[in-house]
Amino acid sequence: MSDYLEKIKSQISNIQPYRGKYADPIEGDFVVYTGPGQFKVPDKVVLGYIEGDGTGPEVAYAAIKVANAAVEKAYGRARKVLWYEILVGSKAEKILGSRLPEQSVDVLKRVRLFLKAPLETPVGGGFRSLNVTLRQIFDLYANIRPVKYFPGLPSPLKHPEKVDLVIFRENTEDVYMGIEWPWNSPEAAKVREFLRRELNINLRDDAGIGIKPISKFGTQRIARLALKFAVENKRRVVTIMHKGNIQKYTEGAFREWAYETARNEFRDHVVLEEELQQYGGQVPPGKVLVNDRIADNMLQQLLTRTGEYDVILAPNLNGDYVSDEAAGLVGGLGVAPGLDVGDFGMMAEPVHGTAPKYTGKNYVNPTATILALELLFRFMGWREAADLIIKGVSKAYAEGYFTGDLVRQMTEEEKKAVKEVLGTQEFAEKVAELIKEL
Ligand code: NAP
């Protein structure tokens, strides 16, 4: 790590650096899970963090500074985060000889809640994506991506202020499972032969094969999470995004099973679109509307009828498309956070990668990572701290403080509102300062 980053790290008092082998945290307690999705967060909580590769450490420490300011402002001395470094990625390879050492997996399993800055996936050489591996180890089945417009951000929309979405993307099934074979593999030949012989389906001999499984179990556990979020956070609508008109037994089933969860488990809190007639076409006060839209139509409606969308529930591939489209509406990758949630753990991460060409340049936007921690706090139940982070980021933009990636997208007119173009650390420090003043 560069001297510059060592210095930043040494200025953050509540970091517990890696101490050579697994050691219990010096201070603080781990979160305790008492059942699936049920946990208790101690007041002095140990949260893990993976520094990441490339620009990862720059955004990780920037975000930690902001998170610390928010916790201190919200709770004084009553609550504190102890950040516990976990070695994964190229730093782990250098020190421990493996990109995902077993001892790090052990620590992650104790910590359960952690920040992961972006990790590089080396091209070639048979490297598996560590991001995917981490999600699988912890069965983090929901990828949650909020997409919110902050006044001042560049946007291609006429009314970007209408963008306030939270996308729940299923994270373990669908094409993400990667069950596919090249056209000329023995496996593809076997599958084609099976289909021909057993089901009378004739495929061309040069057809590659992919399998897209979507299960009731997988659908309903993420539907439950999205609906619970919508109810608890008083959101307006949950829209099930699917391509069920074509793929009836995967995407169509996703739609059916999600509605079933809404009807069976959230009856008192939701109204389904088909029931609206009973209420004169209006959603009764205090209820969340549950509707569904076909994916292609929805992707264009997000541009033309932006304000109609709120919480979006999607299978893996649709969720991938819609979250990147949505991020593009409010400033792009630099401001797009994510939280991966499972029944026994949560991983906060920015959506972007390691942006290697900017490593050490103090250029990249830390907002995505800052907002990833905001989301983690929200799901931990530390809402006051989460709200302060949103207010701080919002205020920084409103007062004209931006990083270069955002300014680059602005029109000459929009640039007039820019007071200062800040580097990664300076932007985070400005947000932290604004939080303290709130
Ligand atoms: P990337 O790292 O996301 O960067 C692509 C481009 O997006 C950058 O060159 C930059 O655009 C912009 N960008 C990304 N993050 C930014 C930020 N915080 N602030 C400002 N601009 C930002 O994608 P990539 O180049 O395809 O991937 C690089 C490495 O990251 C690969 O090894 C990949 O496997 C890995 N990756 C990891 C994750 C993860 O850990 N979750 C996700 C994606 C990729 P400009 O060049 O236009 O300035």
Side-chain angles (χ1 to χ4, degrees):
M1 188 191 275
S2 66
D3 292 349
Y4 148 74
L5 274 168
E6 282 296 355
K7 193 166 161 228
I8 294 171
K9 194 172 170 183
S10 68
Q11 287 164 349
I12 306 175
S13 62
N14 53 342
I15 281 189
Q16 312 200 23
Y18 176 71
R19 285 180 284 149
K21 60 179 171 44
Y22 174 73
D24 280 328
I26 302 165
E27 200 192 338
D29 300 299
F30 296 128
V31 68
V32 178
Y33 273 80
T34 52
Q38 309 288 324
F39 53 83
K40 288 197 183 107
V41 181
D43 286 336
K44 288 196 172 166
V45 65
V46 177
L47 296 182
Y49 77 94
I50 295 169
E51 253 188 22
D53 302 323
T55 56
E58 296 173 56
V59 293
Y61 292 115
I64 286 175
K65 283 185 209 168
V66 173
N68 284 345
V71 171
E72 201 180 321
K73 176 79 181 174
Y75 312 115
R77 290 175 176 210
R79 281 181 177 170
K80 190 174 175 186
V81 176
L82 287 311
W83 300 97
Y84 188 12
E85 183 175 3
I86 300 162
L87 295 193
V88 177
S90 55
K91 187 170 177 182
E93 190 165 39
K94 260 186 228 138
I95 298 175
L96 296 170
S98 156
R99 298 171 68 77
L100 185 57
E102 224 155 88
Q103 73 175 65
S104 297
V105 174
D106 283 348
V107 183
L108 285 166
K109 284 182 175 164
R110 292 179 207 219
V111 169
R112 292 176 186 269
L113 308 189
F114 58 101
L115 165 68
K116 181 193 68 65
L119 290 164
E120 171 201 13
T121 308
V123 179
F127 286 105
R128 258 189 106 197
S129 158
L130 287 174
N131 304 300
V132 175
T133 310
L134 285 170
R135 285 181 198 150
Q136 282 171 351
I137 289 177
F138 294 97
D139 194 20
L140 302 172
Y141 58 83
N143 179 228
I144 303 173
R145 295 191 185 180
V147 183
K148 181 177 167 59
Y149 177 73
F150 292 101
L153 289 182
S155 168
L157 286 181
K158 279 193 193 137
H159 290 289
E161 71 282 358
K162 292 186 176 169
V163 182
D164 184 5
L165 306 167
V166 183
I167 299 160
F168 284 72
R169 171 191 176 202
E170 206 290 324
N171 222 8
T172 62
E173 301 196 316
D174 197 355
V175 294
Y176 204 68
M177 290 187 88
I179 311 173
E180 54 169 15
W181 300 281
W183 70 272
N184 54 357
S185 62
E187 292 85 356
K190 258 192 203 167
V191 176
R192 286 193 301 263
E193 175 52 26
F194 171 80
L195 292 173
R196 194 169 299 146
R197 204 182 51 232
E198 302 291 328
L199 299 171
N200 202 22
I201 294 169
N202 287 307
L203 298 183
R204 291 185 203 283
D205 287 339
D206 56 359
I209 309 269
I211 292 188
K212 175 190 172 78
I214 291 188
S215 71
K216 183 170 183 174
F217 173 80
T219 302
Q220 294 199 323
R221 64 179 177 171
I222 189 168
R224 195 168 294 124
L225 204 66
L227 288 157
K228 182 167 177 279
F229 172 85
V231 170
E232 286 178 355
N233 291 280
K234 301 189 172 32
R235 305 292 299 212
R236 292 176 294 118
V237 193
V238 175
T239 301
I240 306 160
M241 179 185 190
H242 63 91
K243 188 74 185 158
N245 53 332
I246 304 294
Q247 299 174 307
K248 296 186 173 41
Y249 308 115
T250 49
E251 302 252 342
F254 183 88
R255 170 186 178 276
E256 287 312 311
W257 291 325
Y259 271 130
E260 188 181 287
T261 306
R263 261 194 310 269
N264 292 350
E265 299 179 32
F266 294 86
R267 187 61 282 183
D268 294 343
H269 302 286
V270 301
V271 59
L272 311 188
E273 196 165 43
E274 66 191 25
E275 299 164 343
L276 273 185
Q277 261 186 338
Q278 301 166 32
Y279 303 98
Q282 299 295 319
V283 181
K287 302 254 179 181
V288 178
L289 173 67
V290 181
N291 62 15
D292 71 279
R293 294 290 178 269
I294 290 177
D296 41 354
N297 175 34
M298 194 178 143
L299 287 169
Q300 67 89 18
Q301 282 196 350
L302 209 53
L303 305 176
T304 55
R305 302 165 81 151
T306 314
E308 290 183 13
Y309 292 96
D310 184 14
V311 174
I312 294 171
L313 169 62
N316 190 268
L317 187 58
N318 295 338
D320 199 16
Y321 295 148
V322 73
S323 45
D324 272 32
E325 180 195 13
L329 302 179
V330 298
L333 279 180
V335 296
L339 181 71
D340 292 296
V341 176
D343 281 340
F344 294 99
M346 296 195 269
M347 173 171 91
E349 58 173 341
V351 169
H352 63 75
T354 59
K357 69 181 182 189
Y358 294 122
T359 304
K361 296 202 162 76
N362 191 32
Y363 171 81
V364 290
N365 190 344
T367 304
T369 314
I370 294 171
L371 294 179
L373 286 181
E374 178 271 325
L375 200 55
L376 179 62
F377 284 167
R378 200 166 293 285
F379 275 75
M380 278 163 54
W382 288 22
R383 283 191 193 176
E384 300 78 5
D387 288 346
L388 284 169
I389 294 178
I390 294 284
K391 282 186 190 150
V393 170
S394 188
K395 200 152 187 255
Y397 290 140
E399 291 191 2
Y401 298 102
F402 295 94
T403 44
D405 57 311
L406 296 174
V407 176
R408 212 176 53 183
Q409 298 175 53
M410 290 178 181
T411 61
E412 289 310 312
E413 192 52 35
E414 285 168 335
K415 280 184 187 159
K416 287 182 186 159
V418 177
K419 190 166 175 185
E420 212 178 333
V421 184
L422 299 176
T424 311
Q425 301 308 319
E426 291 70 29
F427 180 79
E429 281 153 17
K430 178 52 78 179
V431 175
E433 185 187 310
L434 293 170
I435 288 174
K436 285 179 193 155
E437 287 169 9
L438 282 168

